[in-house]
Amino acid sequence: MNPESKFKIKVMKDLKTLGKIWILKTQEKGRRGVPDLLICLNGQFVAIELKAEKKEPDPLQMFELNCIESASGLALVAYPENWKEIFKKLAMQSRSE
């Protein structure tokens, strides 16, 4: 199993503990650049691009993330090194009403 798949499994396990959450794992077959995870968390749209190592998303991925932010969604790039911080932010979001 490649490092990004291992990271995705950990992220999915963590996210499922957040309660009011809907998650869609995407595949790049239909439309390139779409973030790996599309989430509705306590009524907010969240998109997460997963990277196994700290590197910038490609230009098409950045375009999609910027479009999501422009539409008032939360667009994140997660690496193993920053996942704890991102998860804490999402956990706080899941508790806010």
Side-chain angles (χ1 to χ4, degrees):
M1 184 180 305
N2 70 37
E4 190 165 313
S5 293
K6 288 180 184 177
F7 181 47
K8 185 182 280 189
I9 289 169
K10 179 188 180 3
V11 167
M12 291 296 294
K13 183 179 176 186
D14 289 348
L15 289 174
K16 288 178 182 178
T17 68
L18 294 180
K20 293 182 182 180
I21 191 166
W22 173 87
I23 306 167
L24 174 67
K25 294 184 289 184
T26 64
Q27 295 180 341
E28 299 251 349
K29 294 181 180 177
R31 180 175 169 180
R32 293 196 62 232
V34 175
D36 295 309
L37 301 175
L38 301 178
I39 300 166
C40 183
L41 177 62
N42 199 22
Q44 177 164 5
F45 183 81
V46 180
I48 303 176
E49 178 62 37
L50 300 173
K51 297 290 182 190
E53 55 190 52
K54 192 161 173 85
K55 65 177 184 177
E56 289 295 314
D58 69 40
L60 191 51
Q61 291 169 328
M62 284 306 301
F63 173 79
E64 294 292 350
L65 292 168
N66 289 331
C67 287
I68 291 164
E69 284 185 343
S70 294
S72 298
L74 181 59
L76 304 165
V77 180
Y79 313 95
E81 298 84 8
N82 73 352
W83 175 242
K84 281 186 180 182
E85 180 182 322
I86 287 174
F87 182 72
K88 282 174 62 175
K89 181 177 184 175
L90 295 174
M92 290 178 64
Q93 174 68 31
S94 74
R95 292 185 199 106
S96 66
E97 297 273 339

